[in-house]
Amino acid sequence: MDKKIATIQDVAAQAGVSTATVSRTLSKPSVVAKATREAVLAAVDRTGYRVNATASNLRRQRTGSVIALVPNLANPFFSQILAGINSVLHPVGYGLLIADTQAGPNLEDRLSAYLQSSMADGLILFDGTLSPEALKNPGRPPVVLACEWMDDDLPSVCTENARGAALAVGHLFDMGHRQIGHITGPQGNVLSETRLTGYRDALAERGLAARPDWVFDGDFSMDSGAAAAQKWLRLERRPTALFCSSDEMAIGFMGAVQHRGIRVPEDVSLVGFDNIEVVEHLTPALTTIRQRRTQIGEQAARLLLDMIEAGTLSGPSQTVEVELICRDSVARISD
Amino acid sequence: MDKKIATIQDVAAQAGVSTATVSRTLSKPSVVAKATREAVLAAVDRTGYRVNATASNLRRQRTGSVIALVPNLANPFFSQILAGINSVLHPVGYGLLIADTQAGPNLEDRLSAYLQSSMADGLILFDGTLSPEALKNPGRPPVVLACEWMDDDLPSVCTENARGAALAVGHLFDMGHRQIGHITGPQGNVLSETRLTGYRDALAERGLAARPDWVFDGDFSMDSGAAAAQKWLRLERRPTALFCSSDEMAIGFMGAVQHRGIRVPEDVSLVGFDNIEVVEHLTPALTTIRQRRTQIGEQAARLLLDMIEAGTLSGPSQTVEVELICRDSVARISD
DNA sequence: GAAATTGTTGTAAACGATTGCGGTTTTTTT
DNA sequence: AAAAAAACCGCAATCGTTTACAACAATTTC
């Protein structure tokens, strides 16, 4: 039947009113009289009309979508956060655009392109390696930092990383461990560094020394966990426990040492970070710091929406709780 | 300085040309004279102008983005596919919108809303439980089915599920197994069913009977794998090997049985499906069917782009290869 | 050297909605 | 019953581009 897709004009003609009335019926029904409203709605129904988002957005000077900038989309860690974001964005008519910061080369350029090009009404940033300065264009849309806490000027939603680290080494200490190592996240990443200093502080607080050869460089990936395992194996004096800055690294480490016949937790205890879904199905199930990823996404999205509506560039930074989940990867040491 | 964001008018004024020329300089530089072109580009630079995507899209009758409809965004399986999609979309100026089919209730309605509302130039669909009819609106944008092969009219990109199943049970058979079970994916899902019949056919081909109590209902999740393990444990006569329709279910199964002191692969052999990243770090590392997720995304995106450009609603369905990855979760049986 | 061709630019009409402003009614107030 | 207020609706401008068409200049062809 209808080859062409109906426009607001068609509806107006059908209903015998002006386009203004049609528009109002759809956005603010209360201001149009009942009779006309019904006529319009009937016409909408008949024509199968749907408002053209592009035209509407142009007129209203907005885009109706927000961009989530994630480093490495393929990392499953983010998908749950994205789900959280989407769950608050979708009901209020916003779309979620995703972009991978890893994809191209000239990141800072692309970032400022995103900021300026009016492709989105706001931006949620997950990449902790960006310089905050790049984000401070005048006339930019609101930005929310998620998972990172780079800058005091920019609002952010962030897990209590330092506290997580403290919980982890505290638990290891309580279980009798005195030789506690650490696998870090990528260098230059704020998360990594907060967790690292959290680890150091927690040790110091308990009168323990942080041996530099007991902290292994990682990058959150399983492979880097496995690489740390190789270094650990070569150590003349090995820490009896490791706090890993991500579950994935803990998995990589565990896989690598088990492969060599080393038992977890009897020979080495592990605590991860994130509580990704898989870790409770491992053998042994991994003790870890839980980070509510959906909640991070939800809070970030809500914060951003508030900023968009209020037209402000700043907002209240928020924090999401962490929690120690005890499973089977930490042994009690008695001596 | 510049409070307001520059429009094409500003650039035109600065460069002393018309807006038409500015537009042309940016889109088809070859048709404008060198001198003017340089003047325009200089003005663009000076003003920091970026084309307003919304206005451009409105005029050009497109949206510049495609929607990926995924069931359950939180599932890490999809994130890699999305990365693949994004990697082809982004370079050519398309944005990727993601939507969760699980989120709301009236799915079919929302779907047709997506299709009509001109929010996207095309759609990539991952949800195998939708009725194909809903997709056949007249005047709809092109649709590509990914991971699923629901319908002959709709182009799709799909892994060789049946062949994957055949490879899996073939390998188990070759290793001496004669009692081979299966954990299925969710019912009503085309993937699950193709793999299930692939499994049955492979058994039949080798003269093996498919015992109904050896196929366990699952839904791709780890928990459902663990649940299958409980049933398996209660069996009076247990299959010596299981082909799992997803790696996650294999992980759940493995974790659960190991928890009971049962050894993999000595007591039960497992083959998964997908080759998600984690499985090679498990102990034992999981033998599985590799499915190139990034490639699925890339092919689907390219196919869709072709359709969008050609303005057609159909295209060549494609297939992506599977491959058996042998690791340590299958034991050789000699008897 | 006139005619035809090619190259370069400007004019102005779209694209499809939203909304300030003002004009009619209708209702309420006095 | 006249005046004031409220409710309802239409006109037309506007959002920022793109692009057919026409105009004009420069070049080529005969």
Side-chain angles (χ1 to χ4, degrees):
Chain A
M1 292 294 160
D2 297 327
K3 281 268 168 183
K4 310 227 10 101
I5 185 168
T7 78
I8 201 174
Q9 317 268 3
D10 304 332
V11 180
Q14 280 260 340
V17 298
S18 74
T19 63
T21 303
V22 176
S23 177
R24 280 190 282 254
T25 316
L26 265 24
S27 50
K28 285 185 302 181
S30 62
V31 306
V32 344
K34 185 150 172 261
T36 26
R37 194 193 316 151
E38 281 165 358
V40 170
L41 291 179
V44 165
D45 233 49
R46 222 173 309 130
T47 54
Y49 170 73
R50 312 214 93 113
V51 349
N52 178 315
T54 312
S56 169
N57 288 336
L58 173 60
R59 175 60 224 247
R60 291 164 57 199
Q61 299 278 70
R62 57 159 232 163
T63 69
S65 52
V66 326
I67 297 187
L69 266 182
V70 302
N72 185 12
L73 231 188
N75 184 337
F77 175 76
F78 293 108
S79 47
Q80 239 174 83
I81 301 187
L82 291 177
I85 295 178
N86 206 38
S87 74
V88 358
L89 249 35
H90 192 270
V92 295
Y94 275 84
L96 174 57
L97 275 165
I98 58 181
D100 204 321
T101 53
Q102 253 193 358
N106 45 353
L107 176 53
E108 308 263 321
D109 284 359
R110 294 218 323 285
L111 178 57
S112 79
Y114 278 129
L115 283 171
Q116 304 226 346
S117 70
S118 65
M119 290 185 48
D121 299 326
L123 198 144
I124 300 180
L125 184 68
F126 291 96
D127 195 318
T129 62
L130 288 169
S131 93
E133 300 315 316
L135 297 172
K136 299 203 183 153
N137 269 301
R140 61 169 172 81
V143 174
V144 166
L145 268 28
C147 303
E148 315 274 346
W149 203 314
M150 297 171 4
D151 194 281
D152 291 335
D153 296 352
L154 264 22
S156 56
V157 173
C158 186
T159 55
E160 309 171 316
N161 287 302
R163 180 153 176 276
L167 281 176
V169 333
H171 178 240
L172 288 170
F173 185 91
D174 292 346
M175 296 288 276
H177 292 269
R178 293 299 176 265
Q179 294 152 25
I180 303 176
H182 179 53
I183 310 183
T184 74
Q187 290 186 322
N189 181 303
V190 202
L191 259 73
S192 317
E193 282 162 17
T194 314
R195 290 177 195 168
L196 176 57
T197 62
Y199 156 79
R200 288 205 176 113
D201 292 350
L203 286 188
E205 213 171 277
R206 291 169 177 80
L208 264 37
R211 294 183 44 158
D213 59 331
W214 283 358
V215 348
F216 306 89
D217 291 338
D219 60 9
F220 288 152
S221 74
M222 300 193 228
D223 287 342
S224 74
Q230 302 308 329
K231 283 201 195 137
W232 179 84
L233 284 165
R234 279 198 295 272
L235 244 39
E236 73 296 351
R237 188 156 167 238
R238 298 170 180 167
T240 61
L242 251 56
F243 162 49
C244 308
S245 199
S246 80
D247 281 348
E248 304 204 323
M249 296 194 296
I251 293 173
F253 185 96
M254 190 161 97
V257 298
Q258 286 179 333
H259 203 72
R260 296 295 194 85
I262 286 168
R263 294 161 308 160
V264 180
E266 292 82 355
D267 302 323
V268 58
S269 292
L270 293 174
V271 177
F273 203 113
D274 286 347
N275 191 36
I276 62 177
E277 216 189 339
V278 71
V279 299
E280 70 169 306
H281 295 276
L282 298 179
T283 308
L286 188 69
T287 292
T288 192
I289 304 297
R290 175 189 194 186
Q291 179 173 194
R292 297 172 160 270
R293 294 190 292 298
T294 325
Q295 193 187 339
I296 295 176
E298 289 167 356
Q299 288 193 16
R302 242 185 301 265
L303 178 51
L304 185 62
L305 282 182
D306 288 347
M307 291 167 63
I308 290 175
E309 288 193 8
T312 167
L313 291 184
S314 56
S317 284
Q318 296 173 11
T319 206
V320 346
E321 289 182 357
V322 293
E323 183 186 354
L324 173 69
I325 310 261
C326 289
R327 287 197 269 248
D328 313 320
S329 65
V330 175
R332 177 174 299 280
I333 289 195
S334 46
D335 70 335
Chain B
M1 287 296 159
D2 298 326
K3 281 267 165 179
K4 310 234 2 112
I5 186 167
T7 78
I8 201 174
Q9 316 268 5
D10 303 331
V11 180
Q14 279 261 339
V17 298
S18 75
T19 63
T21 303
V22 176
S23 178
R24 278 190 284 255
T25 314
L26 265 23
S27 53
K28 284 186 301 181
S30 63
V31 305
V32 344
K34 185 151 172 257
T36 24
R37 193 192 320 150
E38 282 165 357
V40 170
L41 291 180
V44 166
D45 234 49
R46 222 172 310 130
T47 54
Y49 170 72
R50 314 214 92 112
V51 352
N52 179 315
T54 312
S56 170
N57 289 336
L58 173 59
R59 175 59 224 244
R60 291 162 59 199
Q61 298 281 68
R62 57 159 232 163
T63 71
S65 51
V66 327
I67 297 186
L69 266 183
V70 302
N72 185 9
L73 231 188
N75 183 338
F77 175 77
F78 293 108
S79 47
Q80 239 174 83
I81 302 186
L82 291 178
I85 295 178
N86 204 41
S87 73
V88 357
L89 249 34
H90 192 269
V92 295
Y94 274 85
L96 174 57
L97 274 165
I98 58 181
D100 204 320
T101 51
Q102 254 193 356
N106 45 353
L107 178 52
E108 308 262 320
D109 284 358
R110 295 220 319 287
L111 180 58
S112 79
Y114 279 128
L115 284 169
Q116 304 225 349
S117 71
S118 66
M119 291 186 47
D121 300 325
L123 198 145
I124 301 180
L125 184 68
F126 291 96
D127 195 320
T129 62
L130 287 168
S131 93
E133 300 315 317
L135 297 170
K136 298 201 182 153
N137 269 302
R140 63 169 170 81
V143 173
V144 167
L145 268 26
C147 304
E148 314 275 346
W149 204 313
M150 299 171 2
D151 195 278
D152 292 335
D153 296 350
L154 263 23
S156 57
V157 173
C158 186
T159 54
E160 309 170 316
N161 287 303
R163 181 152 173 276
L167 280 175
V169 331
H171 179 241
L172 288 170
F173 185 91
D174 292 346
M175 295 289 276
H177 292 270
R178 293 299 175 267
Q179 292 150 26
I180 304 177
H182 178 52
I183 311 182
T184 73
Q187 289 187 324
N189 181 304
V190 201
L191 260 72
S192 316
E193 282 163 15
T194 315
R195 291 178 195 165
L196 175 57
T197 62
Y199 155 79
R200 289 209 175 109
D201 292 351
L203 286 188
E205 214 172 276
R206 290 169 180 82
L208 264 35
R211 296 182 43 155
D213 58 332
W214 284 358
V215 348
F216 306 89
D217 291 338
D219 60 9
F220 287 153
S221 74
M222 300 193 226
D223 287 342
S224 73
Q230 303 308 330
K231 283 202 196 137
W232 179 84
L233 284 165
R234 279 198 293 273
L235 244 39
E236 72 297 350
R237 186 156 170 237
R238 300 170 178 166
T240 62
L242 249 55
F243 161 50
C244 309
S245 198
S246 81
D247 280 349
E248 304 205 322
M249 295 194 296
I251 292 172
F253 185 95
M254 189 160 99
V257 299
Q258 286 179 333
H259 203 72
R260 297 294 193 88
I262 285 167
R263 295 161 308 160
V264 179
E266 292 82 354
D267 302 324
V268 58
S269 292
L270 293 174
V271 176
F273 204 113
D274 286 348
N275 192 36
I276 62 178
E277 217 190 339
V278 71
V279 298
E280 71 169 306
H281 295 277
L282 298 180
T283 308
L286 188 70
T287 292
T288 192
I289 303 297
R290 173 188 196 186
Q291 177 174 194
R292 298 172 161 269
R293 294 189 291 298
T294 326
Q295 192 186 340
I296 295 175
E298 289 168 356
Q299 287 193 19
R302 243 187 299 268
L303 178 52
L304 185 61
L305 281 183
D306 288 348
M307 291 166 64
I308 290 174
E309 288 193 8
T312 166
L313 291 185
S314 58
S317 283
Q318 297 173 11
T319 209
V320 346
E321 290 183 355
V322 294
E323 182 187 355
L324 173 70
I325 309 262
C326 289
R327 287 198 270 248
D328 313 318
S329 63
V330 175
R332 178 173 298 280
I333 289 195
S334 43
D335 70 336

Tab-separated table of all heavy atoms in Angstrom, chain A residues 7-8 20 23 49 59, chain C residues 16-21:
chain	number	residue	atom	x	y	z
A	7	THR	N	4.629	11.373	6.660
A	7	THR	CA	5.222	12.490	7.397
A	7	THR	C	4.142	13.168	8.216
A	7	THR	O	2.956	12.838	8.114
A	7	THR	CB	5.851	13.533	6.465
A	7	THR	OG1	4.802	14.336	5.911
A	7	THR	CG2	6.616	12.863	5.343
A	8	ILE	N	4.567	14.133	8.953
A	8	ILE	CA	3.624	14.831	9.809
A	8	ILE	C	2.577	15.570	8.962
A	8	ILE	O	1.449	15.798	9.397
A	8	ILE	CB	4.363	15.799	10.755
A	8	ILE	CG1	3.482	16.132	11.953
A	8	ILE	CG2	4.841	17.037	10.020
A	8	ILE	CD1	4.183	16.964	12.990
A	20	ALA	N	1.281	21.754	13.327
A	20	ALA	CA	1.574	22.162	14.701
A	20	ALA	C	0.748	21.345	15.684
A	20	ALA	O	1.247	20.866	16.701
A	20	ALA	CB	1.281	23.641	14.864
A	23	SER	N	1.986	17.807	15.996
A	23	SER	CA	3.186	17.770	16.824
A	23	SER	C	2.835	17.889	18.300
A	23	SER	O	3.339	17.142	19.131
A	23	SER	CB	4.122	18.904	16.410
A	23	SER	OG	5.254	18.930	17.239
A	49	TYR	N	2.144	6.600	11.059
A	49	TYR	CA	3.152	7.656	11.197
A	49	TYR	C	4.063	7.437	12.400
A	49	TYR	O	3.636	7.013	13.459
A	49	TYR	CB	2.444	9.001	11.340
A	49	TYR	CG	3.351	10.138	11.730
A	49	TYR	CD1	4.254	10.675	10.822
A	49	TYR	CD2	3.297	10.668	13.015
A	49	TYR	CE1	5.082	11.725	11.188
A	49	TYR	CE2	4.119	11.720	13.380
A	49	TYR	CZ	5.011	12.242	12.466
A	49	TYR	OH	5.821	13.282	12.825
A	59	ARG	N	15.650	20.171	14.809
A	59	ARG	CA	14.910	21.308	15.296
A	59	ARG	C	15.159	21.558	16.788
A	59	ARG	O	15.318	22.676	17.235
A	59	ARG	CB	13.416	21.078	15.029
A	59	ARG	CG	12.491	22.125	15.574
A	59	ARG	CD	12.778	23.492	15.005
A	59	ARG	NE	12.753	24.492	16.055
A	59	ARG	CZ	11.854	25.455	16.171
A	59	ARG	NH1	10.927	25.601	15.245
A	59	ARG	NH2	11.887	26.278	17.171
C	16	DG	P	10.998	14.287	4.110
C	16	DG	OP1	11.007	12.822	3.937
C	16	DG	OP2	10.174	15.134	3.231
C	16	DG	O5'	10.595	14.620	5.610
C	16	DG	C5'	11.318	14.013	6.653
C	16	DG	C4'	11.037	14.753	7.931
C	16	DG	O4'	11.523	16.109	7.822
C	16	DG	C3'	9.546	14.873	8.251
C	16	DG	O3'	9.368	14.406	9.563
C	16	DG	C2'	9.261	16.366	8.133
C	16	DG	C1'	10.618	16.953	8.482
C	16	DG	N9	10.857	18.291	7.980
C	16	DG	C8	10.376	18.851	6.821
C	16	DG	N7	10.776	20.078	6.644
C	16	DG	C5	11.575	20.346	7.753
C	16	DG	C6	12.288	21.511	8.112
C	16	DG	O6	12.347	22.573	7.495
C	16	DG	N1	12.983	21.347	9.307
C	16	DG	C2	12.982	20.208	10.060
C	16	DG	N2	13.705	20.228	11.174
C	16	DG	N3	12.319	19.110	9.741
C	16	DG	C4	11.640	19.247	8.582
C	17	DA	P	7.921	14.203	10.157
C	17	DA	OP1	7.950	12.919	10.824
C	17	DA	OP2	6.918	14.524	9.147
C	17	DA	O5'	7.879	15.368	11.248
C	17	DA	C5'	8.296	15.087	12.544
C	17	DA	C4'	9.213	16.177	13.050
C	17	DA	O4'	9.531	17.048	11.960
C	17	DA	C3'	8.593	17.057	14.121
C	17	DA	O3'	9.013	16.574	15.377
C	17	DA	C2'	9.158	18.436	13.826
C	17	DA	C1'	9.846	18.309	12.470
C	17	DA	N9	9.402	19.304	11.511
C	17	DA	C8	8.536	19.137	10.469
C	17	DA	N7	8.371	20.214	9.734
C	17	DA	C5	9.180	21.153	10.342
C	17	DA	C6	9.453	22.493	10.048
C	17	DA	N6	8.898	23.141	9.018
C	17	DA	N1	10.302	23.153	10.856
C	17	DA	C2	10.843	22.495	11.885
C	17	DA	N3	10.672	21.224	12.260
C	17	DA	C4	9.826	20.608	11.439
C	18	DT	P	8.206	17.068	16.642
C	18	DT	OP1	8.714	16.248	17.751
C	18	DT	OP2	6.780	17.105	16.316
C	18	DT	O5'	8.695	18.572	16.840
C	18	DT	C5'	9.999	18.783	17.367
C	18	DT	C4'	10.203	20.259	17.593
C	18	DT	O4'	9.914	20.993	16.377
C	18	DT	C3'	9.318	20.874	18.675
C	18	DT	O3'	10.157	21.751	19.401
C	18	DT	C2'	8.262	21.627	17.889
C	18	DT	C1'	9.069	22.078	16.689
C	18	DT	N1	8.341	22.378	15.426
C	18	DT	C2	8.574	23.578	14.813
C	18	DT	O2	9.328	24.418	15.263
C	18	DT	N3	7.880	23.762	13.634
C	18	DT	C4	7.011	22.884	13.026
C	18	DT	O4	6.471	23.172	11.966
C	18	DT	C5	6.818	21.639	13.724
C	18	DT	C7	5.898	20.622	13.155
C	18	DT	C6	7.476	21.439	14.879
C	19	DT	P	9.769	22.201	20.864
C	19	DT	OP1	10.997	22.185	21.661
C	19	DT	OP2	8.577	21.426	21.261
C	19	DT	O5'	9.321	23.707	20.652
C	19	DT	C5'	10.159	24.570	19.890
C	19	DT	C4'	9.479	25.908	19.704
C	19	DT	O4'	8.744	25.903	18.462
C	19	DT	C3'	8.459	26.281	20.782
C	19	DT	O3'	8.533	27.673	20.971
C	19	DT	C2'	7.141	25.901	20.147
C	19	DT	C1'	7.425	26.316	18.714
C	19	DT	N1	6.586	25.684	17.670
C	19	DT	C2	6.473	26.323	16.457
C	19	DT	O2	7.016	27.369	16.205
C	19	DT	N3	5.682	25.669	15.549
C	19	DT	C4	5.000	24.476	15.726
C	19	DT	O4	4.329	24.006	14.825
C	19	DT	C5	5.167	23.871	17.011
C	19	DT	C7	4.468	22.584	17.316
C	19	DT	C6	5.937	24.500	17.921
C	20	DG	P	8.504	28.267	22.421
C	20	DG	OP1	9.760	27.889	23.088
C	20	DG	OP2	7.205	27.917	23.037
C	20	DG	O5'	8.524	29.842	22.140
C	20	DG	C5'	9.538	30.372	21.302
C	20	DG	C4'	9.018	31.543	20.504
C	20	DG	O4'	8.188	31.070	19.414
C	20	DG	C3'	8.150	32.524	21.289
C	20	DG	O3'	8.386	33.831	20.788
C	20	DG	C2'	6.729	32.058	20.985
C	20	DG	C1'	6.872	31.561	19.544
C	20	DG	N9	5.986	30.452	19.193
C	20	DG	C8	5.691	29.352	19.959
C	20	DG	N7	4.881	28.516	19.370
C	20	DG	C5	4.625	29.084	18.137
C	20	DG	C6	3.805	28.629	17.063
C	20	DG	O6	3.141	27.595	16.985
C	20	DG	N1	3.819	29.524	15.999
C	20	DG	C2	4.526	30.692	15.968
C	20	DG	N2	4.414	31.409	14.862
C	20	DG	N3	5.298	31.132	16.960
C	20	DG	C4	5.295	30.284	18.010
C	21	DC	P	7.824	35.110	21.484
C	21	DC	OP1	8.855	36.151	21.340
C	21	DC	OP2	7.302	34.721	22.810
C	21	DC	O5'	6.588	35.486	20.560
C	21	DC	C5'	6.776	35.590	19.159
C	21	DC	C4'	5.428	35.667	18.478
C	21	DC	O4'	4.870	34.340	18.383
C	21	DC	C3'	4.398	36.526	19.210
C	21	DC	O3'	4.013	37.592	18.366
C	21	DC	C2'	3.243	35.568	19.505
C	21	DC	C1'	3.467	34.468	18.477
C	21	DC	N1	2.942	33.136	18.859
C	21	DC	C2	2.133	32.432	17.961
C	21	DC	O2	1.885	32.940	16.854
C	21	DC	N3	1.650	31.207	18.314
C	21	DC	C4	1.950	30.695	19.509
C	21	DC	N4	1.458	29.496	19.811
C	21	DC	C5	2.773	31.403	20.446
C	21	DC	C6	3.244	32.606	20.086
